Amino acid sequence: MKYISTRGRMEPVGFQDAVMTGLAPDGGLLLPEKLPQVGDRLEEWAQLSYQELAFEIISLFATDIPPADLAELITDSYATFDHAEVAPSVEVGDFQILELFHGPTLAFKDVALQFLGNLFEYILEQRGGKLNILGATSGDTGSAAIHGVRGKPNINIFIMHPAGRTSPLQEKQMTSVLDDNVFNLAVDGTFDDCQNIMKTTFGDVGFKTEHSLGSVNSVNWARVLAQTVYYFYAAFRTMEKTGTKSVQFSVPTGNFGDILAGYLAQRMGLPISKLILATNENDILSRFFNSGTYGMADVVPTLSPSMDIQVASNFERYLYYKVGEDAEKLAAMMDNFNENGSLSVPLNENGAVDDLFVAGRGDTAATLATIKKYHDQYGYVLDPHTAVGVYVAEQFKSEEAPTICLATAHPAKFTQAIIDAIGEAVHHPTLDALANAETRCDSIANDVDAVKEYLVGHIM
Ligand SMILES: *Cc1c(COP(=O)(O)O)cnc(C)c1O
């Protein structure tokens, strides 16, 4: 399987190169040249465990990794999860709640980043070489990335967070990881400052090459690929429970990585009748699917911070299919977007952008009310991200296709929002144990040169 750029100006590369490249050199995102069609394998796949299914799906894409090695990578990646099924579904009211928070940091990003960390280390072992990951985080991603690569001999990870501006719990999830290859940097500035330092450092191509800098951002193809697995797994479980022939998924959405995985699963032949896209007040994507116009707006902070985005970094992959896999047309659209901050696609005869998608938004009041409702009626506590998805899903129920709502984080991660919604906190032993954990973190000035100097001094 070869990978191409959505903007068409890159020689096709193999899977391992696609993983190590991240963003394509022409500014586009990588996609497989052709999506495999798996419709005739679904019956057989429905019998598999999560890990076996992951192997079947990923091996169609990772054709340059020997099967035995891939099987081991997958087994190792999901051995860190605290549930035998990895991604179990539970019935709550009218919905199946797909719990994606059984990994080490209690958020769905672990599903992809546990795999990506092992994959990076495997490729570096094969090829020789080191990787120094530099990232900026306001919370979830940094912590999942750190837990994905901790203790790996050929990788160092440097994660910047804005000093004093990350929730104490999320900060501790990062700084309590004491492995020698993990460096937490508390930057005297905001999250934007951290991102700017990162962009400037990566922009210095000489420095980046000399020090083998890399990133783990959500455009990495391996992340999207790992996420397609749970769409298949959950659809099989729900169809077998309900006897239906198709399902719909509701996805709390930020950078469009998660829902893109569902879209690809559908294109590969999984019977998904609707993808319900749910955003918070940062609703660039729900506006797009309801109006055809994708227009940038300012970010407002919400109760679901991992969905607080201005532009969705994975959206370009969807657009590529939307314009009929025409890379030139897509490149022109993206150029136009970068110039004007907006792009449009025509609506179809049903007044929709795409008949597969419906979209809506849930604001702070809706989030709190939904958490309270499911707690009071069913004794189940949704985290604020999941609550947005459930709130929007309530508007799109179907008789023929049961709705699976993706639960992207454990509620114990968002103490204050949960207290505001139901009057008490929920607990998780992993988080409770952090209270007395030893931590390691270095403070650093809000200054690119200070960060570069730190990197050079600590790269082993
Ligand atoms: C990252 C994240 C999301 C959004 O996922 P995208 O792939 O960016 O759309 C939703 N919920 C939680 C808890 C997250 O960490």
Side-chain angles (χ1 to χ4, degrees):
M1 172 79 74
K2 293 283 186 204
Y3 293 82
I4 52 160
S5 165
T6 48
R7 302 201 192 168
R9 301 181 208 116
M10 180 190 92
E11 279 301 306
V13 296
F15 176 74
Q16 293 193 28
D17 284 324
V19 172
M20 297 315 280
T21 304
L23 199 68
D26 63 3
L29 306 188
L30 302 186
L31 277 173
E33 231 165 15
K34 199 166 177 292
L35 276 181
Q37 292 305 307
V38 302
D40 58 355
R41 307 203 54 190
L42 298 179
E43 232 178 275
E44 168 204 339
W45 283 3
Q47 312 303 318
L48 303 179
S49 71
Y50 189 92
Q51 288 87 340
E52 290 166 340
L53 179 63
F55 174 80
E56 292 299 329
I57 294 170
I58 296 173
S59 63
L60 298 174
F61 294 89
T63 47
D64 57 6
I65 297 185
D69 294 354
L70 182 63
E72 194 178 322
L73 283 172
I74 290 169
T75 308
D76 290 350
S77 300
Y78 299 113
T80 55
F81 281 58
D82 72 3
H83 196 289
E85 270 194 88
V86 181
S89 294
V90 295
E91 194 167 318
V92 179
D94 291 336
F95 297 124
Q96 302 294 323
I97 303 285
L98 169 55
E99 295 184 343
L100 299 172
F101 50 69
H102 288 279
T105 73
L106 317 184
F108 95 97
K109 292 193 170 64
D110 289 328
V111 178
L113 284 167
Q114 288 289 305
F115 177 64
L116 184 63
N118 287 322
L119 189 58
F120 274 152
E121 180 65 22
Y122 172 82
I123 297 173
L124 292 166
E125 275 168 17
Q126 304 296 307
R127 299 183 165 187
K130 303 271 179 200
L131 177 64
N132 294 299
I133 294 167
L134 176 64
T137 193
S138 53
D140 265 356
T141 309
S143 145
I146 286 171
H147 284 261
V149 303
R150 63 185 299 179
K152 306 247 181 275
N154 294 302
I155 303 175
N156 293 306
I157 185 163
F158 300 85
I159 297 290
M160 296 178 277
H161 67 265
R165 294 176 198 240
T166 303
S167 91
L169 205 57
Q170 290 193 317
E171 186 178 321
K172 263 211 151 162
Q173 280 192 296
M174 298 192 281
T175 58
S176 62
V177 180
L178 302 177
D179 300 75
D180 289 342
N181 69 331
V182 173
F183 301 92
N184 279 288
L185 295 175
V187 174
D188 184 16
T190 62
F191 174 56
D192 281 345
D193 294 328
C194 297
Q195 277 197 311
N196 284 332
I197 292 176
M198 182 165 131
K199 277 187 200 148
T200 312
T201 310
F202 277 106
D204 181 347
V205 177
F207 186 87
K208 175 173 181 262
T209 312
E210 183 183 354
H211 299 291
S212 310
L213 290 194
S215 70
V216 285
N217 56 31
S218 72
V219 301
N220 194 297
W221 168 250
R223 286 183 63 173
V224 177
L225 176 58
Q227 291 171 185
T228 60
V229 176
Y230 51 71
Y231 283 91
F232 284 90
Y233 188 78
F236 294 150
R237 297 295 80 77
T238 294
M239 291 192 288
E240 115 207 327
K241 214 184 286 179
T242 60
T244 51
K245 295 268 177 289
S246 68
V247 294
Q248 40 184 32
F249 281 96
S250 167
V251 189
T253 296
N255 274 315
F256 205 81
D258 201 0
I259 198 165
L260 176 79
Y263 177 67
L264 295 176
Q266 193 273 345
R267 287 189 77 100
M268 287 164 68
L270 186 66
I272 298 175
S273 57
K274 281 274 183 276
L275 286 166
I276 302 167
L277 182 147
T279 67
N280 61 28
E281 289 91 329
N282 299 293
D283 61 354
I284 177 170
L285 286 167
S286 53
R287 280 184 285 123
F288 170 75
F289 281 100
N290 286 315
S291 72
T293 297
Y294 183 72
M296 224 144 94
D298 288 337
V299 182
V300 298
T302 70
L303 297 178
S304 41
S306 297
M307 293 152 61
D308 293 347
I309 54 108
Q310 188 175 35
V311 294
S313 50
N314 262 296
F315 182 62
E316 180 168 339
R317 286 188 166 115
Y318 168 75
L319 270 186
Y320 174 79
Y321 291 107
K322 179 76 195 153
V323 300
E325 306 182 38
D326 181 341
E328 226 153 274
K329 192 164 173 190
L330 191 268
M333 270 172 106
M334 291 314 296
D335 286 346
N336 191 37
F337 177 74
N338 290 333
E339 242 162 69
N340 305 318
S342 158
L343 63 78
S344 293
V345 302
L347 300 180
N348 66 18
E349 65 281 6
N350 304 322
V353 165
D354 186 324
D355 290 332
L356 180 61
F357 284 83
V358 288
R361 74 174 221 163
D363 61 12
T364 299
T367 304
L368 292 172
T370 304
I371 296 171
K372 181 167 166 46
K373 174 176 165 187
Y374 282 77
H375 170 259
D376 291 354
Q377 290 189 5
Y378 308 107
Y380 189 91
V381 182
L382 305 164
D383 101 284
H385 303 79
T386 308
V388 170
V390 168
Y391 172 77
V392 175
E394 286 182 335
Q395 301 154 36
F396 296 106
K397 284 182 199 170
S398 144
E399 289 292 321
E400 300 82 49
T403 305
I404 301 168
C405 294
L406 272 58
T408 51
H410 191 283
K413 290 190 82 165
F414 300 94
T415 319
Q416 195 53 51
I418 299 301
I419 293 176
D420 290 350
I422 64 172
E424 61 187 348
V426 292
H427 287 273
H428 188 287
T430 303
L431 299 179
D432 291 345
L434 291 177
N436 302 312
E438 194 186 329
T439 60
R440 186 161 58 78
C441 178
D442 285 322
S443 299
I444 198 155
N446 175 11
D447 175 48
V448 181
D449 291 325
V451 171
K452 280 181 168 174
E453 201 174 302
Y454 185 97
L455 289 173
V456 173
H458 289 82
I459 287 173
M460 290 171 290

